[in-house]
Amino acid sequence: MEEEFVLKIRIKFKKQGQMRFIGHLDIMRFFQKAIRRAGININYSEGFSPHQKMSFASPLGVGLISSGEYFDIESDTAVSSEESLRLLNGAMVEGMEVISFKKLPDDAKNCMASIAAADYILHITGDSNPITKEITDTFLSRDNVVITKKTKKSEKEIDIRPFIYELSSNENSVFMKVASGSVNNIKPEIVIDAICSLYNLEAPKGIYERVEMYANIGTEDNINLVSLESLGENIE
Amino acid sequence: MRKLALDDDILLTIEKPARYIGNEYNMVKKDPKEVDIRFCMAFPDVYEIGMSHLGIQILYNMFNEWDDVYCERVYSPWTDLDAVMREKNIRLFSLETQDPIKDFDFLGITLQYEMCYTNVLQMLDLSGIPMFAKDRSEDDPIVIGGGPCTYNPEPVADFFDMFYIGEGETQYRRLLDLYKENKKNGGSRKDFLKLAASIPCIYVPSFYDIEYNADGTVQSITPNEECAPAKIKKDIVLDMSSSPYPKKPLVPFIKITQDRVVLEIQRGCIRGCRFCQAGSVYRPVREKNIETLKETAREMLKNTGYEEISLSSLSSSDYSNLPELVNFLIDEFKEKHVNISLPSLRIDAFSLDVMSKVQDIKKSSLTFAPEAGSQRMRDVINKGLTVENILTGSMMAFNAGWNKVKLYFMLGLPFETKEDNEAIMDLCELIAEEYYTIPKQERNGKVNITASTSFFIPKPFTPFQWAPMCTKDQFIEKATIVKNKMNTLLNKKSIKYNWHEADLSELEGLLARGDRRLSSTILAAYNNGCIYDSWSECFKYDMWQKAIEDTNVDMDFYITRERDTDELFPWDVIDIGVTKSFLIREWNNAKEGKVTPNCKLQCSGCGAASFGGGICFENKN
């Protein structure tokens, strides 16, 4: 049997401004139509109601903006990355922008399976940022940060400290690099809440932005994070 | 980036914020300062319903092609946001610029069903526009109504400055030019209403005085301004193929009711069912050219990215090039993974063939709308579907693998008897028997028959506009007769029966044939907290009941009374082209159970030929 050639493509996009009020499922539906409008070649599943072969890295909650969202598609042909970006960006709305279109190695895992960490920024919209550099430094020096996680059935205590890889702060924002994905998934609000409750701060008002998502090309103990887009290369 | 009318805290706490932020693909952006006229198109129901409406998409595109006009949209805020807006005193705003509706030149409200009237008041109220037209100032937008309910606009006449009677494609340019001219000349609101009244399809209700007889019926409808004509003449598109159609329709972010490309193939219906208002007011039938349709389908799919297309019209099977059109859609788009959503077609070899190509036979069902159970009743309502048609069609479908049948009926039709009600179930039983004549090894399990009944509501400009409507109790009694009959059947286990609630039908009946005096009742219901009446979770029957009592409405007068053919109706100020003498003739034919042929077979002289186009002038050499 002849082996079927499949091109795996990784697409990175931004979701800014008022688009943060559009939920994840609707964003998926948006891209299904945008791909058709742009005339991007995409493969479909078999069966009576075929659907596009498209998978998203990680749902972004309503209310968050992002400059580093990802999804993968399968295709049998593709024009250059440059042309594909031009076509896709002609099919966007205000607040949505496609920023990279890359071919993945044949054996690459899809973005959802690859994701190991993510960067987030909390943009403070209030007058000042109560989470100062001193606070983030003290926080990072702790051995553990135990929080209570409520599930439907029970309450569970977990230590989130090992999953916070970076944390920093300036006058109007807080940056963090945290574990993300199916194994350990840390939402940025959880970190901010933990800081505020530890140091008795009033939770700052602001907008969360996901900035980047990473795959781990190291080991579990010795992690080596690279952005999801860097696993692919431009199509010339 | 635009500033939104609602702040983030509100948008993050209400359901589906996408309903209120606009920014959909193909949304038109203009600088409001660069245009002469700002028009806001309103649908008085929730976004997902309003966005599914083809008429607004047509007018939105047409208006925005004009450089001097910016047309925007607004829908009813859902009950969660409605409460927030009242509490925080937030004014209703448009989706495009997010500007207050009160700042617009026009607010155009489409009236698609009677039970949206309290939402009309909601929209005016939240906009800060006085609800009664007489209380509006020079700064308020001109509130104009359109859509099927404007064929009897009287119950809401006091809330509107004017109504556009007919199809919007034809006279809006003229109306807007008059508006500009009046503005340039420094004319007042009233001056503009007078100018508008010179357009034959524009009805300015405040220019008419209504006198009533002692028995409550209308004695006279008299113009009180020289410019107001005695009758308002419906206006229609004569050449459907060249009339404006949205090649770039809006593509919403959230799932809406009609979430696909909609291709309108014709307007009007040749059938002449005597209960059907659409079949009467949209006369004469006008088809779109098939080549235009093919090109439009291609462009719309390309411009939206939709993965589904459906055809829209009354009685689509009557479109003369339907097989060619459907086969074109399948051949051209099936490979591109576009689903073809078929309208309900007359069941025959052609429709079964295309249905088997585009649907999963195991999941889909056959649909029949006999509307009445007995042949006698079907002759009364002029529904030309026979038992033979239904049984032959069913059998063809059963042999091709289908085993689900849906049937739609009405209860409470004029001259209906208990036997006619029971005949609904006799028909279901016949279909079941037909199915079980297929040898067991060749059939596909049990047959699944679903019969649904709705309650008949007499509508203006139909031959049944004179007919008494049933009371709620009578409706329930009829539904019980059908249900009891079902339980006597041999094949009752293969049959399911659904019926509608009667409360809403009663109110719809009241408003459908109502007059201007009902405006106080609608306002009272709104003040009692009624909105979204067509949504069962929002419908407050007791609050409507209270409004009816408080405003002394005699329900029997509006609902159960049989009207004389010489009665002057509140809606007789409108001329739909179909004459009253034709409707009377049809009412008499109904009484005698006499069938009238459809427009393709023979012209019955309904009066619609006066428009000078459509089917009335085809096949006539």
Side-chain angles (χ1 to χ4, degrees):
Chain A
M1 206 176 92
E2 203 181 326
E3 198 164 331
E4 221 176 299
F5 174 76
V6 179
L7 199 57
K8 291 181 182 175
I9 290 161
R10 178 152 299 163
I11 296 170
K12 183 181 187 183
F13 67 95
K14 284 184 177 184
K15 180 188 178 189
Q16 296 285 326
Q18 291 148 10
M19 287 305 291
R20 70 194 183 99
F21 300 110
I22 308 296
H24 176 66
L25 290 175
D26 294 327
I27 290 295
M28 289 169 62
R29 286 163 20 85
F30 171 80
F31 272 109
Q32 284 160 13
K33 294 189 183 72
I35 290 241
R36 299 176 64 95
R37 290 193 290 260
I40 299 291
N41 193 300
I42 186 168
N43 289 354
Y44 282 77
S45 65
E46 302 291 317
F48 211 92
S49 45
H51 55 267
Q52 294 174 344
K53 297 224 175 164
M54 178 189 273
S55 74
F56 280 71
S58 165
L60 186 70
V62 174
L64 276 74
I65 55 175
S66 175
S67 43
E69 292 301 289
Y70 288 95
F71 67 94
D72 295 345
I73 62 169
E74 286 183 18
S75 179
D76 33 62
T77 61
V79 292
S80 70
S81 295
E82 196 188 336
E83 177 66 358
S84 300
L85 284 177
R86 195 186 64 79
L87 291 169
L88 276 168
N89 282 322
M92 292 294 110
V93 295
E94 190 178 337
M96 298 295 285
E97 188 191 350
V98 178
I99 50 179
S100 80
F101 186 97
K102 292 189 172 180
K103 175 187 176 302
L104 292 171
D106 292 344
D107 60 350
K109 284 195 288 182
N110 72 30
C111 52
M112 195 197 281
S114 305
I115 175 173
D119 288 345
Y120 291 94
I121 294 176
L122 169 62
H123 300 279
I124 308 286
T125 51
D127 294 336
S128 61
N129 183 4
I131 304 172
T132 58
K133 188 174 180 306
E134 292 71 52
I135 288 183
T136 52
D137 287 347
T138 339
F139 183 85
L140 282 177
S141 66
R142 294 178 64 98
D143 290 335
N144 59 55
V145 177
V146 177
I147 62 154
T148 313
K149 204 173 174 183
K150 280 183 190 145
T151 62
K152 271 177 201 150
K153 282 180 196 152
S154 63
E155 289 188 355
K156 210 169 84 182
E157 299 219 311
I158 54 163
D159 178 11
I160 60 170
R161 178 64 192 87
F163 309 124
I164 301 169
Y165 306 134
E166 283 176 35
L167 180 71
S168 63
S169 160
N170 66 25
E171 261 169 48
N172 39 34
S173 66
V174 180
F175 171 86
M176 67 184 85
K177 188 186 289 291
V178 291
S180 195
S182 53
V183 188
N184 295 302
N185 194 47
I186 301 295
K187 288 183 175 170
E189 311 91 275
I190 288 179
V191 178
I192 298 294
D193 285 350
I195 296 171
C196 292
S197 87
L198 266 175
Y199 305 104
N200 264 325
L201 304 172
E202 202 180 317
K205 275 198 126 187
I207 295 175
Y208 287 96
E209 175 171 20
R210 179 147 66 189
V211 190
E212 186 55 276
M213 283 186 249
Y214 300 92
N216 179 12
I217 56 167
T219 62
E220 211 177 303
D221 299 319
N222 194 7
I223 61 173
N224 181 6
L225 299 176
V226 294
S227 73
L228 288 181
E229 75 177 314
S230 67
L231 297 173
E233 57 190 42
N234 275 329
I235 308 167
E236 299 300 329
Chain B
M1 197 164 274
R2 304 166 308 154
K3 189 174 164 16
L4 296 179
L6 301 173
D7 64 40
D8 293 3
D9 288 342
I10 296 175
L11 284 165
L12 290 173
T13 45
I14 53 170
E15 218 181 284
K16 303 190 186 175
R19 286 167 172 164
Y20 312 107
I21 65 171
N23 199 34
E24 302 95 331
Y25 192 74
N26 287 332
M27 182 183 92
V28 177
K29 291 176 196 169
K30 290 190 185 185
D31 182 351
K33 288 195 260 348
E34 303 276 295
V35 300
D36 298 320
I37 296 170
R38 299 190 68 183
F39 197 111
C40 194
M41 206 57 94
F43 194 109
D45 206 319
V46 77
Y47 179 88
E48 295 92 310
I49 303 286
M51 272 292 281
S52 303
H53 181 238
L54 177 62
I56 288 189
Q57 295 252 19
I58 293 176
L59 295 182
Y60 180 81
N61 269 267
M62 182 181 84
F63 281 23
N64 281 321
E65 274 178 19
W66 298 330
D67 289 337
D68 57 342
V69 183
Y70 188 11
C71 180
E72 306 185 34
R73 297 160 295 142
V74 64
Y75 306 95
S76 274
W78 185 244
T79 51
D80 56 349
L81 180 62
D82 176 277
V84 173
M85 291 175 78
R86 283 167 207 276
E87 192 205 316
K88 306 203 167 177
N89 223 340
I90 300 169
R91 286 279 162 89
L92 190 63
F93 54 91
S94 69
L95 295 191
E96 278 75 6
T97 56
Q98 303 271 311
D99 285 341
I101 302 301
K102 204 174 151 56
D103 297 347
F104 280 72
D105 296 294
F106 283 89
L107 173 61
I109 306 179
T110 182
L111 303 173
Q112 293 292 315
Y113 26 85
E114 291 83 358
M115 297 319 294
C116 74
Y117 291 167
T118 53
N119 278 59
V120 170
L121 296 185
Q122 176 216 26
M123 297 186 93
L124 291 172
D125 196 9
L126 290 176
S127 299
I129 299 171
M131 287 194 250
F132 285 102
K134 64 176 169 50
D135 299 329
R136 290 181 195 138
S137 73
E138 297 292 326
D139 296 336
D140 288 306
I142 301 290
V143 181
I144 179 167
C149 289
T150 58
Y151 290 104
N152 177 23
E154 291 306 288
V156 287
D158 290 344
F159 307 129
F160 284 83
D161 296 299
M162 61 180 73
F163 295 100
Y164 184 119
I165 308 298
E167 297 167 356
E169 291 97 329
T170 55
Q171 298 299 328
Y172 260 115
R173 188 62 259 182
R174 197 166 146 198
L175 183 70
L176 299 185
D177 284 340
L178 289 175
Y179 182 81
K180 275 167 68 172
E181 188 187 310
N182 186 57
K183 226 172 156 183
K184 206 173 87 193
N185 298 338
S188 66
R189 184 182 191 88
K190 177 102 186 245
D191 292 331
F192 173 60
L193 298 186
K194 284 184 184 170
L195 285 172
S198 69
I199 302 176
C201 71
I202 296 293
Y203 174 44
V204 180
S206 59
F207 290 171
Y208 296 80
D209 294 324
I210 320 289
E211 299 288 333
Y212 297 94
N213 293 310
D215 65 2
T217 55
V218 174
Q219 186 185 64
S220 62
I221 306 169
T222 323
N224 58 32
E225 287 284 347
E226 226 174 286
C227 58
K231 284 227 174 199
I232 315 299
K233 175 95 189 210
K234 169 185 96 173
D235 204 48
I236 59 164
V237 171
L238 286 177
D239 180 10
M240 287 295 291
S241 303
S242 68
S243 88
Y245 201 73
K247 304 280 168 55
K248 291 181 174 179
L250 290 147
V251 186
F253 296 112
I254 54 174
K255 258 206 163 103
I256 60 168
T257 315
Q258 182 81 252
D259 209 12
R260 52 189 73 85
V261 163
V262 179
L263 193 63
E264 187 187 25
I265 58 175
Q266 63 183 355
R267 262 180 218 172
C269 178
I270 58 168
R271 299 276 148 186
C273 298
R274 292 179 179 129
F275 54 83
C276 180
Q277 191 186 35
S280 194
V281 299
Y282 296 137
R283 281 187 173 214
V285 169
R286 292 144 290 150
E287 293 194 345
K288 268 195 192 177
N289 172 296
I290 182 156
E291 295 309 321
T292 310
L293 289 175
K294 289 177 183 174
E295 193 44 42
T296 309
R298 273 194 204 106
E299 281 192 56
M300 291 178 79
L301 285 165
K302 188 168 150 270
N303 291 335
T304 58
Y306 267 123
E307 45 284 280
E308 189 166 343
I309 182 167
S310 74
L311 305 181
S312 167
S313 81
L314 299 165
S315 192
S316 302
S317 290
D318 293 326
Y319 178 68
S320 39
N321 286 315
L322 192 75
E324 186 187 336
L325 179 63
V326 172
N327 285 320
F328 161 80
L329 294 176
I330 293 173
D331 295 344
E332 177 108 354
F333 299 120
K334 200 82 180 83
E335 282 298 294
K336 294 178 182 157
H337 305 283
V338 175
N339 291 321
I340 320 291
S341 151
L342 292 174
S344 34
L345 297 175
R346 197 165 44 240
I347 303 297
D348 55 22
F350 158 71
S351 61
L352 290 173
D353 175 51
V354 296
M355 280 162 70
S356 68
K357 285 183 194 158
V358 303
Q359 299 169 349
D360 186 348
I361 293 179
K362 283 194 204 81
K363 285 180 193 153
S364 67
S365 53
L366 300 174
T367 305
F368 293 100
E371 306 294 357
S374 68
Q375 193 57 49
R376 187 191 76 82
M377 267 319 290
R378 286 193 293 272
D379 291 345
V380 168
I381 63 177
N382 205 42
K383 183 89 196 184
L385 192 64
T386 64
V387 179
E388 291 69 43
N389 296 151
I390 295 170
L391 293 183
T392 319
S394 304
M395 201 53 189
M396 283 167 74
F398 295 153
N399 283 324
W402 271 275
N403 66 349
K404 293 189 188 74
V405 185
K406 278 188 199 158
L407 296 145
Y408 292 96
F409 299 95
M410 271 187 280
L411 291 177
L413 289 159
F415 319 115
E416 186 182 276
T417 64
K418 187 176 177 223
E419 287 69 39
D420 296 316
N421 296 148
E422 292 183 333
I424 289 174
M425 282 301 151
D426 293 331
L427 182 59
C428 295
E429 177 75 1
L430 280 176
I431 297 170
E433 282 170 7
E434 193 77 6
Y435 181 81
Y436 291 113
T437 60
I438 304 174
K440 199 167 184 176
Q441 59 278 15
E442 286 168 35
R443 64 191 189 223
N444 191 3
K446 227 176 71 183
V447 69
N448 215 315
I449 300 169
T450 308
S452 301
T453 59
S454 61
F455 297 122
F456 166 66
I457 299 165
K459 294 275 166 115
F461 293 114
T462 65
F464 288 169
Q465 62 179 345
W466 291 279
M469 184 174 140
C470 293
T471 61
K472 214 175 104 182
D473 293 341
Q474 287 168 327
F475 278 139
I476 301 298
E477 197 184 308
K478 284 169 185 288
T480 312
I481 292 171
V482 179
K483 195 172 183 260
N484 289 342
K485 176 70 183 183
M486 180 178 72
N487 289 327
T488 67
L489 300 178
L490 212 59
N491 286 305
K492 65 177 173 194
K493 285 192 175 151
S494 300
I495 303 168
K496 223 182 113 198
Y497 174 48
N498 303 318
W499 68 93
H500 279 241
E501 293 212 21
D503 294 349
L504 206 63
S505 303
E506 194 181 72
L507 284 176
E508 196 184 320
L510 168 72
L511 298 172
R513 290 189 295 174
D515 54 43
R516 238 178 239 200
R517 292 170 295 191
L518 292 181
S519 60
S520 57
T521 313
I522 298 166
L523 180 60
Y526 173 71
N527 286 334
N528 290 347
C530 296
I531 48 167
Y532 286 106
D533 296 312
S534 57
W535 293 73
S536 55
E537 69 261 47
C538 301
F539 180 51
K540 299 185 177 108
Y541 183 61
D542 51 337
M543 287 297 122
W544 263 103
Q545 202 89 66
K546 187 173 178 304
I548 286 165
E549 277 163 32
D550 291 349
T551 54
N552 299 310
V553 172
D554 175 3
M555 291 292 272
D556 291 336
F557 172 81
Y558 291 101
I559 293 177
T560 54
R561 179 173 66 94
E562 174 163 351
R563 275 92 161 153
D564 281 334
T565 48
D566 54 8
E567 180 174 335
L568 180 65
F569 289 135
W571 53 91
D572 282 337
V573 67
I574 289 163
D575 174 9
I576 64 157
V578 174
T579 60
K580 199 163 192 176
S581 59
F582 171 76
L583 295 174
I584 292 174
R585 207 187 328 147
E586 280 296 280
W587 177 225
N588 290 328
N589 285 340
K591 286 179 192 166
E592 292 162 25
K594 247 172 83 180
V595 170
T596 299
N598 73 51
C599 302
K600 266 188 192 164
L601 288 175
Q602 186 195 313
C603 174
S604 302
C606 73
S610 65
F611 292 105
I615 193 163
C616 313
F617 295 88
E618 285 156 21
N619 316 317
K620 275 188 183 171
N621 298 318

